[in-house]
Amino acid sequence: MRNIGVVTVGRSDYSSCLPILRQIHQNPDLKLHLIVTGMHLSPEFGLTVQDIEADGFEIGDRVEMLLNSDTPEGVAKSIGLGTIGLAQSFAHYRPDLLLIVGDRFELLSIVSSALPFRIPIAHISGGDITEGAIDNQIRYAVTQMSHLHFVAMEEHKARLLQMGEEAWRVFVTGDPALDSIQQMKLLLPEELSQSLGLELKPPLLLVTYHPTTLGAMSPLEEIQIVLKALEQVKGTLIFTCPNADPEGRVIIEKIQEFVAAKPQSKFFYNLGQLRYYSVLAQADLMVGNSSSGIWEAPSFHLPVVNIGDRQRGRLRTRNVIDVGLNVESIVKAIQKGLSISFRGSLDQLRNPYGNGYAAIQIVNVLKTVELDLNLLQKKFSVQQSLAQLSLTKN
């Protein structure tokens, strides 16, 4: 029996992990070792480890790493604590292969800890681009330290080949988060309203705004502009919590002040996947700078107002309206997104990030790949990288 370790750091990656965890759990040839860390263990971010337990998964280890600080120093120290905690975890139980998802700073702790133990790493979501956030550098660093890659589309595979990754290591599977959208029975409007404790007067807007981390403005300046634009919106506003990024707490504080003063708005530390996808299905518009607007919203034909540079460089479909950090521009973009003509233009929209069958493809590879030194000894071809670079720029 092959032992597959899966590390999840927060709600941002758990949506992708969940279909894979279910596939591993159902496979008689695989044994799941689930490590929970990061925001999952923080009451400040909804203590989402409880959602994992409610889904019926046994947690193999819990690794505390997140300091009660969102300064650059606090984030850097959290990476260090995570490295120590995960090293202790791997010393106690060493999985045959380790699966990780995404581009958050916690992944630096995971790959650094696994390397001395010679644990092969399978990474989901490589080859993407987000030029406005430090996530971009993290993603590329994690790619270099991983041994198998599961990517959403051919363009992402091409970028990994540009970096010199061997072609046999890269699999185009789509994003596994989209599997759940097809499989999940969503809440009806009345059920959702009751669960949220909020009357859903139209238009219904879902708002998620994260620190840009590489922006010219401070997070405080950014969120003040966004909220000033949202003051002019009638209807229902549902805010979700930003991630534990540098200077993220000021965004939470300003949103809470806004919600306290504006009827028909509510802030949630954690909606949970069922409620979150139910909101996506019933919302009239999504506003903010979340990656969810790029790779999940298209599955719901949902218009998205994407603000600022956080998602710059990422492939998007025609549901996304890009706008700068300017109050008047944001208001106009919201009006466009809420228009009947724009919503009607999305009826035949296809999501390029996957077709809902990623998890079974990923688990088949995890089950059959040879776990020998050939997997651990990565061979980077400079000639291959240059050839791919000449064929596929950007």
Side-chain angles (χ1 to χ4, degrees):
M1 183 176 289
R2 179 169 289 182
N3 296 311
I4 305 296
V6 179
V7 186
T8 175
V9 306
R11 72 176 197 268
S12 58
D13 70 23
Y14 186 63
S15 60
S16 293
C17 288
L18 181 57
I20 298 170
L21 295 176
R22 287 172 173 160
Q23 287 287 333
I24 294 174
H25 187 69
Q26 295 168 6
N27 196 304
D29 297 323
L30 300 176
K31 181 180 179 181
L32 174 64
H33 179 67
L34 181 59
I35 300 174
V36 177
T37 185
M39 289 180 288
H40 280 309
L41 303 177
S42 171
E44 182 179 4
F45 293 96
L47 203 63
T48 48
V49 64
Q50 297 174 345
D51 294 342
I52 299 173
E53 293 171 324
D55 286 331
F57 298 111
E58 180 181 350
I59 297 174
D61 206 354
R62 303 168 192 242
V63 178
E64 294 278 4
M65 66 174 292
L66 201 61
L67 289 177
N68 186 26
S69 169
D70 64 350
T71 65
E73 180 182 0
V75 171
K77 286 182 176 178
S78 292
I79 294 173
L81 288 173
T83 303
I84 294 171
L86 286 158
Q88 293 170 336
S89 178
F90 296 145
H92 176 70
Y93 185 94
R94 182 188 181 281
D96 298 315
L97 191 149
L98 194 66
L99 182 75
I100 57 177
V101 178
D103 48 29
R104 285 196 48 76
F105 68 80
E106 293 93 339
L107 269 63
L108 297 175
S109 302
I110 301 168
V111 295
S112 299
S113 303
L115 183 63
F117 289 93
R118 302 203 306 178
I119 303 172
I121 296 170
H123 179 224
I124 297 172
S125 297
D128 209 344
I129 293 179
T130 48
E131 296 174 357
I134 60 174
D135 301 0
N136 211 45
Q137 290 93 321
I138 294 169
R139 189 185 309 108
Y140 278 87
V142 170
T143 290
Q144 295 287 0
M145 296 181 72
S146 299
H147 306 89
L148 295 172
H149 311 277
F150 300 104
V151 300
M153 59 185 71
E154 291 290 341
E155 289 90 338
H156 296 170
K157 178 179 179 179
R159 291 196 187 105
L160 296 192
L161 297 181
Q162 288 176 23
M163 295 173 67
E165 290 292 322
E166 299 165 283
W168 67 270
R169 299 177 182 273
V170 187
F171 301 85
V172 181
T173 61
D175 194 293
L178 303 184
D179 294 15
S180 295
I181 293 174
Q182 291 194 6
Q183 300 164 3
M184 193 173 291
K185 183 180 179 182
L186 302 179
L187 299 174
L188 297 173
E190 300 80 11
E191 295 172 324
L192 179 61
S193 177
Q194 183 176 5
S195 178
L196 298 176
L198 184 66
E199 184 181 358
L200 304 180
K201 295 180 179 179
L204 173 59
L205 274 65
L206 175 64
V207 184
T208 303
Y209 199 84
H210 302 291
T212 303
T213 67
L214 287 180
M217 294 184 184
S218 70
L220 174 59
E221 292 173 308
E222 291 186 6
I223 193 60
Q224 286 175 330
I225 290 171
V226 173
L227 294 177
K228 190 171 182 179
L230 291 173
E231 284 177 355
Q232 303 181 40
V233 177
K234 296 180 180 180
T236 303
L237 301 178
I238 295 177
F239 291 86
T240 61
C241 188
N243 290 329
D245 290 316
E247 300 183 77
R249 283 177 173 81
V250 68
I251 294 179
I252 297 175
E253 292 171 4
K254 291 302 175 183
I255 291 174
Q256 290 175 329
E257 291 175 5
F258 178 91
V259 167
K262 186 175 178 63
Q264 285 304 119
S265 64
K266 197 166 184 177
F267 172 76
F268 293 88
Y269 281 102
N270 175 41
L271 281 172
Q273 196 170 45
L274 175 59
R275 290 197 301 181
Y276 183 73
Y277 283 162
S278 298
V279 172
L280 284 178
Q282 297 176 35
D284 297 291
L285 184 68
M286 186 175 183
V287 178
N289 62 1
S290 170
S291 60
S292 182
I294 307 293
W295 52 269
E296 287 175 299
S299 295
F300 298 91
H301 301 167
L302 178 64
V304 174
V305 173
N306 178 59
I307 303 171
D309 292 335
R310 184 179 175 90
Q311 303 300 331
R312 188 175 70 235
R314 190 167 248 163
L315 180 100
R316 64 257 279 129
T317 58
R318 63 180 184 274
N319 70 307
V320 178
I321 304 169
D322 290 305
V323 64
L325 278 156
N326 174 274
V327 174
E328 184 179 349
S329 299
I330 295 171
V331 171
K332 289 181 178 179
I334 289 173
Q335 292 171 345
K336 178 181 177 179
L338 290 174
S339 67
I340 296 175
S341 59
F342 186 82
R343 185 64 183 259
S345 71
L346 306 180
D347 287 344
Q348 303 302 317
L349 188 65
R350 184 186 69 84
N351 193 333
Y353 283 89
N355 58 11
Y357 297 97
I360 191 168
Q361 298 177 66
I362 292 169
V363 171
N364 281 338
V365 174
L366 300 182
K367 183 174 68 172
T368 59
V369 68
E370 292 292 332
L371 295 180
D372 56 14
L373 282 178
N374 187 42
L375 184 65
L376 287 164
Q377 294 171 342
K378 298 177 69 174
K379 301 174 184 178
F380 296 99
S381 169
V382 176
Q383 288 184 340
Q384 178 192 50
S385 179
L386 291 175
Q388 288 292 335
L389 186 60
S390 66
L391 291 172
T392 311
K393 295 183 179 180
N394 298 323

